[in-house]
Amino acid sequence: MELKENIIKKYKNYMLLEKSLSPNSIDAYLTDLDKLSIFLRNENLTAENVTLDHLQQFIAQLYDIGINARSVARIISGIKSFYNFLVLDGYMQNDPTELLETPKIGLKLPTVLSLEEIENLFSVIDHSTKEGQRNRAILEVLYSCGLRVSELVYLKFSDLFFDEGFIKVEGKGSKQRLVPISHTAINEINKYLYFRNEMTVKKGSENVLFLSNRGTAISRIMIFYFIKQYAQMAGIKKEISPHTFRHSFATHLLEGGANIRAIQMMLGHEKITTTEIYTHMDREYLRQEIIEHHPRNNRK
C-alpha cells in the first residue's frame, strides 16, 4: 500500500470531520506527510511495510537537512496521526509509530510586549483614516480579548454582545467560547463602524466585522503586514506577530493576579498545561526584575 490519492483523501476527511481540525492544521499535516511519501519512494518502501527502523532513518534525514527539533516534533506528530488513522480504518493491524520518540524540546518563552511598547505601537496608528481606525480596532481586540488571528478574521456582527460585554469566538475544533471585551475595544470598534458603514461590501461578507478595502474579510497576511509596519514605526526591535498580542494579554493578566484557570478559559486552551507556559513567563519576569533591580545584584 502506497500513499495513494484515495487514502490521502479519506485521511483528509477524517481530520476534517472526526478530528475537527482547521484547514490550516490539515494542510500542515498533509505537507508533513509529503515528506514521508518522498522518503518511502526513495527507499522503495510502502506505508504498509515501513518499520520503526525506517521511520527513525527518516527522522535522521530530517535532522541532516537542517530541520530543527521543534519542526521534527510536529512532523512526527503528523505521521503518528496518519498511522493511527490507517489502523482505525483497517488498512493496517500494527502501528509502526507506536514507539517512535518525539524529541525533547526546551521551553521557549514567547515574545511579549510591555505595556509601554503596546502604547507606543498604538500611538503611531493614524486612526483618522479608514484603514488606520480598522487596524486600531483589530489590535485592541487582539490584545484585550487574547484572540488568535484566525479567530479574529472570522468575527461576525452576530458574535458581538456589547451590552453584556462579551464576544463569541469560534476556536480550534469549531469550539465556541464567550470572551469578555474591554470598553476600549468596544469604543474602537464603534469608531471603525463609522467608516465600515460607508464601504461597498461584497456579497457573502455582509456579516463579517473586519473588512479589507475590497469589501471582503481581511486576511491574516494583511494583519501580519501592518503589525510589522507599526512595530518598525514605534521603534520596537522585537520580532512580533498577531500572536504576540495574545501572549501579552495572558502575561499581563497573570502579572495582575488573574487566576490561571480563568486565563485558560479566555484563551480557549483545551489543556491547562498549554496555559501554564505563562506561569514560566511570570517567573522569568520576576527573575529579571530581581537581577536588574535588587541591590545585591548591582555590585560592580
Side-chain angles (χ1 to χ4, degrees):
M1 182 185 66
E2 299 176 354
L3 298 185
K4 296 179 179 177
E5 188 175 343
N6 66 317
I7 294 175
I8 298 299
K9 187 175 181 180
K10 286 183 179 179
Y11 177 51
K12 186 175 181 179
N13 289 334
Y14 163 78
M15 290 190 287
L16 179 65
L17 301 175
E18 297 191 38
K19 303 293 286 183
S20 297
L21 296 182
S22 69
N24 289 331
S25 296
I26 291 172
D27 287 343
Y29 273 104
L30 294 179
T31 299
D32 293 339
L33 204 54
D34 285 340
K35 295 180 176 66
L36 177 64
S37 182
I38 293 168
F39 169 79
L40 295 178
R41 189 163 57 248
N42 290 340
E43 298 295 324
N44 199 27
L45 294 167
T46 66
E48 190 177 31
N49 64 24
V50 76
T51 66
L52 178 61
D53 286 342
H54 293 138
L55 291 172
Q56 288 173 334
Q57 183 184 347
F58 167 64
I59 299 304
Q61 288 185 12
L62 296 178
Y63 284 118
D64 288 343
I65 62 175
I67 295 179
N68 62 41
R70 192 172 294 275
S71 296
V72 168
R74 192 201 66 239
I75 292 169
I76 291 174
S77 175
I79 294 169
K80 283 177 174 285
S81 171
F82 176 64
Y83 274 98
N84 180 58
F85 157 75
L86 293 180
V87 172
L88 286 174
D89 250 39
Y91 290 105
M92 297 181 63
Q93 288 187 332
N94 299 310
D95 183 354
T97 69
E98 194 171 1
L99 298 177
L100 189 63
E101 293 185 358
T102 301
K104 289 183 171 60
I105 301 170
L107 180 67
K108 183 181 178 182
L109 300 180
T111 301
V112 170
L113 294 174
S114 67
L115 289 171
E116 182 181 5
E117 287 170 327
I118 286 174
E119 290 302 327
N120 288 344
L121 191 145
F122 283 160
S123 71
V124 302
I125 303 174
D126 180 7
H127 44 84
S128 66
T129 66
K130 174 182 64 179
E131 292 83 3
Q133 183 54 51
R134 178 201 61 196
N135 297 348
R136 173 71 184 246
I138 285 173
L139 295 186
E140 284 287 359
V141 173
L142 285 174
Y143 176 57
S144 78
C145 300
L147 301 192
R148 302 176 179 94
V149 67
S150 57
E151 295 169 343
L152 179 130
V153 297
Y154 291 118
L155 270 182
K156 300 177 177 63
F157 282 105
S158 53
D159 297 325
L160 308 179
F161 301 92
F162 285 169
D163 289 342
E164 293 80 8
F166 285 88
I167 59 173
K168 184 175 70 177
V169 179
E170 185 166 309
K172 291 184 176 180
S174 299
K175 293 180 180 177
Q176 295 183 342
R177 67 186 189 276
L178 288 175
V179 178
I181 183 169
S182 69
H183 291 297
T184 303
I186 292 173
N187 188 41
E188 295 300 338
I189 290 173
N190 285 330
K191 289 179 182 177
Y192 156 67
L193 293 181
Y194 173 81
F195 294 102
R196 189 194 182 285
N197 291 337
E198 298 179 343
M199 295 179 65
T200 301
V201 182
K202 290 286 179 67
K203 187 176 180 180
S205 298
E206 295 88 352
N207 197 25
V208 175
L209 178 59
F210 293 114
L211 297 177
S212 68
N213 290 334
R214 299 189 304 275
T216 57
I218 191 169
S219 69
R220 292 176 299 169
I221 298 300
M222 180 57 70
I223 297 174
F224 269 91
Y225 172 76
F226 71 64
I227 284 176
K228 297 282 188 186
Q229 192 176 42
Y230 292 145
Q232 188 175 18
M233 291 168 62
I236 296 171
K237 305 299 183 183
K238 296 173 181 175
E239 195 68 30
I240 69 170
S241 71
H243 222 63
T244 306
F245 291 87
R246 179 171 163 89
H247 294 316
S248 303
F249 161 83
T251 303
H252 294 165
L253 278 179
L254 193 66
E255 288 174 0
N259 182 281
I260 192 167
R261 290 283 180 185
I263 297 173
Q264 178 192 5
M265 291 175 65
M266 286 186 280
L267 292 176
H269 286 161
E270 190 171 330
K271 297 179 180 178
I272 190 69
T273 51
T274 309
T275 317
E276 282 174 346
I277 187 172
Y278 298 107
T279 64
H280 290 285
M281 293 182 67
D282 197 35
R283 286 197 294 270
E284 181 64 19
Y285 168 79
L286 291 173
R287 178 177 175 275
Q288 284 301 120
E289 288 293 295
I290 291 171
I291 289 173
E292 291 179 20
H293 303 296
H294 195 284
R296 288 291 188 186
N297 291 314
N298 289 333
R299 292 178 297 180
K300 302 293 185 184

